[in-house]
mmCIF file of all heavy atoms in Angstrom:
data_model
loop_
_atom_site.group_PDB
_atom_site.id
_atom_site.type_symbol
_atom_site.label_atom_id
_atom_site.label_comp_id
_atom_site.label_asym_id
_atom_site.label_seq_id
_atom_site.Cartn_x
_atom_site.Cartn_y
_atom_site.Cartn_z
ATOM 1 N N TYR Y 833 -116.779 -65.959 48.704
ATOM 2 C CA TYR Y 833 -116.169 -66.228 50.054
ATOM 3 C C TYR Y 833 -116.048 -64.953 50.855
ATOM 4 O O TYR Y 833 -115.119 -64.827 51.654
ATOM 5 C CB TYR Y 833 -114.802 -66.936 49.858
ATOM 6 C CG TYR Y 833 -114.876 -68.184 49.047
ATOM 7 C CD1 TYR Y 833 -114.423 -68.203 47.725
ATOM 8 C CD2 TYR Y 833 -115.421 -69.334 49.572
ATOM 9 C CE1 TYR Y 833 -114.510 -69.367 46.963
ATOM 10 C CE2 TYR Y 833 -115.535 -70.483 48.823
ATOM 11 C CZ TYR Y 833 -115.075 -70.500 47.529
ATOM 12 O OH TYR Y 833 -115.172 -71.639 46.752
ATOM 13 N N GLN Y 834 -116.976 -64.017 50.668
ATOM 14 C CA GLN Y 834 -116.826 -62.731 51.396
ATOM 15 C C GLN Y 834 -117.002 -62.908 52.902
ATOM 16 O O GLN Y 834 -116.509 -62.101 53.682
ATOM 17 C CB GLN Y 834 -117.818 -61.664 50.906
ATOM 18 C CG GLN Y 834 -119.272 -62.045 50.949
ATOM 19 C CD GLN Y 834 -119.776 -62.414 49.592
ATOM 20 O OE1 GLN Y 834 -119.138 -63.116 48.857
ATOM 21 N NE2 GLN Y 834 -120.983 -61.948 49.241
ATOM 22 N N HIS Y 835 -117.643 -64.013 53.329
ATOM 23 C CA HIS Y 835 -117.808 -64.250 54.772
ATOM 24 C C HIS Y 835 -116.614 -65.011 55.357
ATOM 25 O O HIS Y 835 -116.504 -65.172 56.551
ATOM 26 C CB HIS Y 835 -119.115 -65.003 55.033
ATOM 27 C CG HIS Y 835 -120.319 -64.290 54.523
ATOM 28 N ND1 HIS Y 835 -120.727 -63.079 55.021
ATOM 29 C CD2 HIS Y 835 -121.203 -64.591 53.528
ATOM 30 C CE1 HIS Y 835 -121.790 -62.656 54.361
ATOM 31 N NE2 HIS Y 835 -122.091 -63.547 53.464
ATOM 32 N N ASP Y 836 -115.705 -65.472 54.481
ATOM 33 C CA ASP Y 836 -114.579 -66.263 54.932
ATOM 34 C C ASP Y 836 -113.286 -65.437 55.067
ATOM 35 O O ASP Y 836 -112.337 -65.867 55.656
ATOM 36 C CB ASP Y 836 -114.327 -67.423 53.955
ATOM 37 C CG ASP Y 836 -115.533 -68.310 53.785
ATOM 38 O OD1 ASP Y 836 -115.690 -69.240 54.570
ATOM 39 O OD2 ASP Y 836 -116.300 -68.096 52.847
ATOM 40 N N VAL Y 837 -113.288 -64.266 54.428
ATOM 41 C CA VAL Y 837 -112.042 -63.465 54.398
ATOM 42 C C VAL Y 837 -111.996 -62.542 55.624
ATOM 43 O O VAL Y 837 -113.000 -62.389 56.321
ATOM 44 C CB VAL Y 837 -111.914 -62.650 53.100
ATOM 45 C CG1 VAL Y 837 -111.901 -63.591 51.899
ATOM 46 C CG2 VAL Y 837 -113.028 -61.612 52.960
ATOM 47 N N ASP Y 838 -110.850 -61.898 55.818
ATOM 48 C CA ASP Y 838 -110.679 -60.928 56.901
ATOM 49 C C ASP Y 838 -111.697 -59.824 56.780
ATOM 50 O O ASP Y 838 -111.657 -59.015 55.814
ATOM 51 C CB ASP Y 838 -109.237 -60.377 56.827
ATOM 52 C CG ASP Y 838 -108.916 -59.414 57.955
ATOM 53 O OD1 ASP Y 838 -109.767 -58.568 58.265
ATOM 54 O OD2 ASP Y 838 -107.803 -59.500 58.484
ATOM 55 N N GLN Y 839 -112.634 -59.753 57.697
ATOM 56 C CA GLN Y 839 -113.792 -58.847 57.579
ATOM 57 C C GLN Y 839 -113.395 -57.385 57.688
ATOM 58 O O GLN Y 839 -113.950 -56.530 56.969
ATOM 59 C CB GLN Y 839 -114.848 -59.178 58.637
ATOM 60 C CG GLN Y 839 -115.516 -60.527 58.419
ATOM 61 C CD GLN Y 839 -116.222 -60.652 57.085
ATOM 62 O OE1 GLN Y 839 -117.198 -59.977 56.801
ATOM 63 N NE2 GLN Y 839 -115.712 -61.521 56.214
ATOM 64 N N SER Y 840 -112.428 -57.088 58.514
ATOM 65 C CA SER Y 840 -111.969 -55.681 58.659
ATOM 66 C C SER Y 840 -111.292 -55.209 57.386
ATOM 67 O O SER Y 840 -111.561 -54.097 56.882
ATOM 68 C CB SER Y 840 -110.995 -55.592 59.856
ATOM 69 O OG SER Y 840 -110.438 -54.313 59.929
ATOM 70 N N LYS Y 841 -110.419 -56.051 56.825
ATOM 71 C CA LYS Y 841 -109.721 -55.722 55.577
ATOM 72 C C LYS Y 841 -110.731 -55.565 54.428
ATOM 73 O O LYS Y 841 -110.595 -54.647 53.595
ATOM 74 C CB LYS Y 841 -108.698 -56.813 55.265
ATOM 75 C CG LYS Y 841 -107.630 -56.387 54.278
ATOM 76 C CD LYS Y 841 -106.708 -57.539 53.938
ATOM 77 C CE LYS Y 841 -105.632 -57.739 54.973
ATOM 78 N NZ LYS Y 841 -104.611 -58.726 54.558
ATOM 79 N N LEU Y 842 -111.697 -56.472 54.375
ATOM 80 C CA LEU Y 842 -112.719 -56.443 53.311
ATOM 81 C C LEU Y 842 -113.527 -55.142 53.408
ATOM 82 O O LEU Y 842 -113.719 -54.435 52.416
ATOM 83 C CB LEU Y 842 -113.679 -57.640 53.445
ATOM 84 C CG LEU Y 842 -114.892 -57.660 52.504
ATOM 85 C CD1 LEU Y 842 -114.427 -57.778 51.043
ATOM 86 C CD2 LEU Y 842 -115.819 -58.830 52.852
ATOM 87 N N GLN Y 843 -113.958 -54.794 54.634
ATOM 88 C CA GLN Y 843 -114.771 -53.566 54.811
ATOM 89 C C GLN Y 843 -113.992 -52.332 54.419
ATOM 90 O O GLN Y 843 -114.530 -51.430 53.720
ATOM 91 C CB GLN Y 843 -115.215 -53.468 56.272
ATOM 92 C CG GLN Y 843 -116.349 -52.462 56.490
ATOM 93 C CD GLN Y 843 -117.622 -52.801 55.728
ATOM 94 O OE1 GLN Y 843 -118.158 -53.890 55.898
ATOM 95 N NE2 GLN Y 843 -118.078 -51.916 54.883
ATOM 96 N N ASN Y 844 -112.728 -52.264 54.799
ATOM 97 C CA ASN Y 844 -111.887 -51.100 54.464
ATOM 98 C C ASN Y 844 -111.751 -50.946 52.955
ATOM 99 O O ASN Y 844 -111.855 -49.865 52.393
ATOM 100 C CB ASN Y 844 -110.503 -51.234 55.089
ATOM 101 C CG ASN Y 844 -110.538 -51.006 56.588
ATOM 102 O OD1 ASN Y 844 -111.480 -50.425 57.114
ATOM 103 N ND2 ASN Y 844 -109.520 -51.486 57.286
ATOM 104 N N GLU Y 845 -111.503 -52.085 52.274
ATOM 105 C CA GLU Y 845 -111.306 -52.061 50.822
ATOM 106 C C GLU Y 845 -112.588 -51.668 50.100
ATOM 107 O O GLU Y 845 -112.581 -50.823 49.180
ATOM 108 C CB GLU Y 845 -110.856 -53.461 50.333
ATOM 109 C CG GLU Y 845 -110.482 -53.533 48.873
ATOM 110 C CD GLU Y 845 -109.199 -52.770 48.530
ATOM 111 O OE1 GLU Y 845 -108.350 -52.577 49.417
ATOM 112 O OE2 GLU Y 845 -109.057 -52.375 47.361
ATOM 113 N N LEU Y 846 -113.719 -52.224 50.550
ATOM 114 C CA LEU Y 846 -114.991 -51.893 49.902
ATOM 115 C C LEU Y 846 -115.396 -50.441 50.155
ATOM 116 O O LEU Y 846 -115.903 -49.775 49.264
ATOM 117 C CB LEU Y 846 -116.088 -52.862 50.373
ATOM 118 C CG LEU Y 846 -115.871 -54.339 50.062
ATOM 119 C CD1 LEU Y 846 -117.084 -55.157 50.495
ATOM 120 C CD2 LEU Y 846 -115.555 -54.571 48.612
ATOM 121 N N ASP Y 847 -115.125 -49.948 51.356
ATOM 122 C CA ASP Y 847 -115.411 -48.520 51.640
ATOM 123 C C ASP Y 847 -114.616 -47.617 50.716
ATOM 124 O O ASP Y 847 -115.132 -46.602 50.248
ATOM 125 C CB ASP Y 847 -115.092 -48.209 53.097
ATOM 126 C CG ASP Y 847 -116.133 -48.748 54.063
ATOM 127 O OD1 ASP Y 847 -117.244 -49.123 53.593
ATOM 128 O OD2 ASP Y 847 -115.895 -48.807 55.279
ATOM 129 N N MET Y 848 -113.339 -47.997 50.486
ATOM 130 C CA MET Y 848 -112.481 -47.204 49.619
ATOM 131 C C MET Y 848 -113.003 -47.216 48.175
ATOM 132 O O MET Y 848 -112.980 -46.198 47.485
ATOM 133 C CB MET Y 848 -111.041 -47.728 49.644
ATOM 134 C CG MET Y 848 -110.276 -47.287 50.900
ATOM 135 S SD MET Y 848 -108.570 -47.885 50.904
ATOM 136 C CE MET Y 848 -107.879 -47.009 49.530
ATOM 137 N N VAL Y 849 -113.518 -48.377 47.746
ATOM 138 C CA VAL Y 849 -114.067 -48.483 46.385
ATOM 139 C C VAL Y 849 -115.305 -47.602 46.232
ATOM 140 O O VAL Y 849 -115.421 -46.876 45.258
ATOM 141 C CB VAL Y 849 -114.427 -49.980 46.045
ATOM 142 C CG1 VAL Y 849 -115.262 -50.048 44.783
ATOM 143 C CG2 VAL Y 849 -113.178 -50.814 45.908
ATOM 144 N N VAL Y 850 -116.193 -47.683 47.222
ATOM 145 C CA VAL Y 850 -117.402 -46.863 47.170
ATOM 146 C C VAL Y 850 -117.033 -45.366 47.148
ATOM 147 O O VAL Y 850 -117.554 -44.604 46.360
ATOM 148 C CB VAL Y 850 -118.349 -47.148 48.374
ATOM 149 C CG1 VAL Y 850 -119.563 -46.253 48.319
ATOM 150 C CG2 VAL Y 850 -118.790 -48.623 48.339
ATOM 151 N N GLN Y 851 -116.111 -44.986 48.013
ATOM 152 C CA GLN Y 851 -115.652 -43.589 48.073
ATOM 153 C C GLN Y 851 -115.090 -43.160 46.735
ATOM 154 O O GLN Y 851 -115.383 -42.057 46.230
ATOM 155 C CB GLN Y 851 -114.639 -43.397 49.188
ATOM 156 C CG GLN Y 851 -114.285 -41.939 49.417
ATOM 157 C CD GLN Y 851 -113.160 -41.728 50.433
ATOM 158 O OE1 GLN Y 851 -112.134 -42.417 50.350
ATOM 159 N NE2 GLN Y 851 -113.355 -40.818 51.354
ATOM 160 N N SER Y 852 -114.264 -44.027 46.129
ATOM 161 C CA SER Y 852 -113.643 -43.724 44.854
ATOM 162 C C SER Y 852 -114.716 -43.516 43.773
ATOM 163 O O SER Y 852 -114.640 -42.554 42.996
ATOM 164 C CB SER Y 852 -112.673 -44.845 44.452
ATOM 165 O OG SER Y 852 -112.223 -44.663 43.136
ATOM 166 N N CYS Y 853 -115.660 -44.415 43.740
ATOM 167 C CA CYS Y 853 -116.735 -44.338 42.694
ATOM 168 C C CYS Y 853 -117.592 -43.079 42.860
ATOM 169 O O CYS Y 853 -117.878 -42.385 41.904
ATOM 170 C CB CYS Y 853 -117.614 -45.580 42.756
ATOM 171 S SG CYS Y 853 -116.781 -47.099 42.248
ATOM 172 N N VAL Y 854 -118.011 -42.834 44.091
ATOM 173 C CA VAL Y 854 -118.865 -41.665 44.360
ATOM 174 C C VAL Y 854 -118.160 -40.362 43.977
ATOM 175 O O VAL Y 854 -118.742 -39.497 43.315
ATOM 176 C CB VAL Y 854 -119.272 -41.619 45.870
ATOM 177 C CG1 VAL Y 854 -119.941 -40.292 46.212
ATOM 178 C CG2 VAL Y 854 -120.221 -42.771 46.201
ATOM 179 N N ASN Y 855 -116.874 -40.260 44.333
ATOM 180 C CA ASN Y 855 -116.159 -39.015 44.040
ATOM 181 C C ASN Y 855 -115.751 -38.909 42.576
ATOM 182 O O ASN Y 855 -115.624 -37.790 42.064
ATOM 183 C CB ASN Y 855 -114.927 -38.900 44.966
ATOM 184 C CG ASN Y 855 -115.359 -38.611 46.385
ATOM 185 O OD1 ASN Y 855 -115.804 -37.530 46.697
ATOM 186 N ND2 ASN Y 855 -115.266 -39.609 47.250
ATOM 187 N N SER Y 856 -115.576 -40.031 41.883
ATOM 188 C CA SER Y 856 -115.216 -39.973 40.478
ATOM 189 C C SER Y 856 -116.424 -39.531 39.617
ATOM 190 O O SER Y 856 -116.271 -38.870 38.596
ATOM 191 C CB SER Y 856 -114.682 -41.311 39.955
ATOM 192 O OG SER Y 856 -115.663 -42.299 40.035
ATOM 193 N N VAL Y 857 -117.643 -39.847 40.100
ATOM 194 C CA VAL Y 857 -118.863 -39.471 39.380
ATOM 195 C C VAL Y 857 -119.313 -38.070 39.818
ATOM 196 O O VAL Y 857 -119.774 -37.274 39.003
ATOM 197 C CB VAL Y 857 -119.991 -40.496 39.636
ATOM 198 C CG1 VAL Y 857 -121.331 -39.991 39.101
ATOM 199 C CG2 VAL Y 857 -119.627 -41.832 38.970
ATOM 200 N N GLY Y 858 -119.155 -37.766 41.107
ATOM 201 C CA GLY Y 858 -119.653 -36.508 41.636
ATOM 202 C C GLY Y 858 -121.081 -36.677 42.162
ATOM 203 O O GLY Y 858 -121.800 -37.612 41.780
ATOM 204 N N VAL Y 859 -121.511 -35.759 43.019
ATOM 205 C CA VAL Y 859 -122.804 -35.892 43.687
ATOM 206 C C VAL Y 859 -123.603 -34.613 43.587
ATOM 207 O O VAL Y 859 -123.079 -33.513 43.874
ATOM 208 C CB VAL Y 859 -122.598 -36.273 45.172
ATOM 209 C CG1 VAL Y 859 -123.912 -36.189 45.945
ATOM 210 C CG2 VAL Y 859 -121.984 -37.675 45.280
ATOM 211 N N ASN Y 860 -124.843 -34.722 43.178
ATOM 212 C CA ASN Y 860 -125.754 -33.564 43.181
ATOM 213 C C ASN Y 860 -126.179 -33.292 44.599
ATOM 214 O O ASN Y 860 -126.995 -34.050 45.186
ATOM 215 C CB ASN Y 860 -126.986 -33.864 42.298
ATOM 216 C CG ASN Y 860 -127.915 -32.677 42.183
ATOM 217 O OD1 ASN Y 860 -127.925 -31.796 43.023
ATOM 218 N ND2 ASN Y 860 -128.719 -32.661 41.123
ATOM 219 N N ILE Y 861 -125.667 -32.247 45.230
ATOM 220 C CA ILE Y 861 -125.905 -31.982 46.635
ATOM 221 C C ILE Y 861 -127.363 -31.720 46.953
ATOM 222 O O ILE Y 861 -127.821 -31.899 48.084
ATOM 223 C CB ILE Y 861 -125.001 -30.803 47.143
ATOM 224 C CG1 ILE Y 861 -124.997 -30.769 48.650
ATOM 225 C CG2 ILE Y 861 -125.458 -29.483 46.506
ATOM 226 C CD1 ILE Y 861 -123.995 -29.797 49.250
ATOM 227 N N ASN Y 862 -128.155 -31.325 45.944
ATOM 228 C CA ASN Y 862 -129.566 -30.990 46.186
ATOM 229 C C ASN Y 862 -130.500 -32.180 46.101
ATOM 230 O O ASN Y 862 -131.682 -32.057 46.476
ATOM 231 C CB ASN Y 862 -130.020 -29.899 45.221
ATOM 232 C CG ASN Y 862 -129.457 -28.533 45.589
ATOM 233 O OD1 ASN Y 862 -129.389 -28.215 46.795
ATOM 234 N ND2 ASN Y 862 -129.048 -27.754 44.628
ATOM 235 N N THR Y 863 -130.020 -33.319 45.598
ATOM 236 C CA THR Y 863 -130.909 -34.495 45.499
ATOM 237 C C THR Y 863 -130.362 -35.708 46.216
ATOM 238 O O THR Y 863 -131.081 -36.680 46.477
ATOM 239 C CB THR Y 863 -131.156 -34.862 44.018
ATOM 240 O OG1 THR Y 863 -129.903 -35.150 43.379
ATOM 241 C CG2 THR Y 863 -131.893 -33.761 43.285
ATOM 242 N N ALA Y 864 -129.079 -35.709 46.537
ATOM 243 C CA ALA Y 864 -128.408 -36.909 47.098
ATOM 244 C C ALA Y 864 -128.920 -37.255 48.499
ATOM 245 O O ALA Y 864 -129.178 -36.384 49.315
ATOM 246 C CB ALA Y 864 -126.914 -36.704 47.127
ATOM 247 N N SER Y 865 -129.022 -38.574 48.760
ATOM 248 C CA SER Y 865 -129.391 -39.023 50.119
ATOM 249 C C SER Y 865 -128.186 -38.860 51.036
ATOM 250 O O SER Y 865 -127.058 -38.695 50.579
ATOM 251 C CB SER Y 865 -129.764 -40.512 50.047
ATOM 252 O OG SER Y 865 -128.612 -41.304 49.673
ATOM 253 N N HIS Y 866 -128.427 -38.929 52.343
ATOM 254 C CA HIS Y 866 -127.300 -38.801 53.267
ATOM 255 C C HIS Y 866 -126.340 -39.985 53.136
ATOM 256 O O HIS Y 866 -125.144 -39.857 53.406
ATOM 257 C CB HIS Y 866 -127.762 -38.603 54.724
ATOM 258 C CG HIS Y 866 -128.428 -39.794 55.349
ATOM 259 N ND1 HIS Y 866 -127.731 -40.876 55.805
ATOM 260 C CD2 HIS Y 866 -129.725 -40.048 55.590
ATOM 261 C CE1 HIS Y 866 -128.575 -41.770 56.321
ATOM 262 N NE2 HIS Y 866 -129.797 -41.273 56.198
ATOM 263 N N SER Y 867 -126.845 -41.157 52.673
ATOM 264 C CA SER Y 867 -125.986 -42.332 52.441
ATOM 265 C C SER Y 867 -124.973 -42.019 51.361
ATOM 266 O O SER Y 867 -123.776 -42.313 51.505
ATOM 267 C CB SER Y 867 -126.818 -43.533 51.988
ATOM 268 O OG SER Y 867 -127.816 -43.827 52.926
#
């Protein structure tokens, strides 16, 4: 039901999850994409 829920709240939560995962793993600055 991702299209039925509050889209702004969903986007904020998912962005936070992605940010948390990326930073918990760490990023190789020499190979990582800009995404």
Side-chain angles (χ1 to χ4, degrees):
Y833 305 104
Q834 58 257 43
H835 303 296
D836 303 274
V837 301
D838 183 316
Q839 293 302 294
S840 173
K841 198 183 278 188
L842 174 65
Q843 194 62 56
N844 287 341
E845 186 69 25
L846 298 185
D847 284 346
M848 282 181 67
V849 168
V850 177
Q851 187 185 48
S852 171
C853 292
V854 169
N855 289 288
S856 64
V857 170
V859 170
N860 183 338
I861 195 171
N862 285 321
T863 59
S865 65
H866 68 77
S867 304

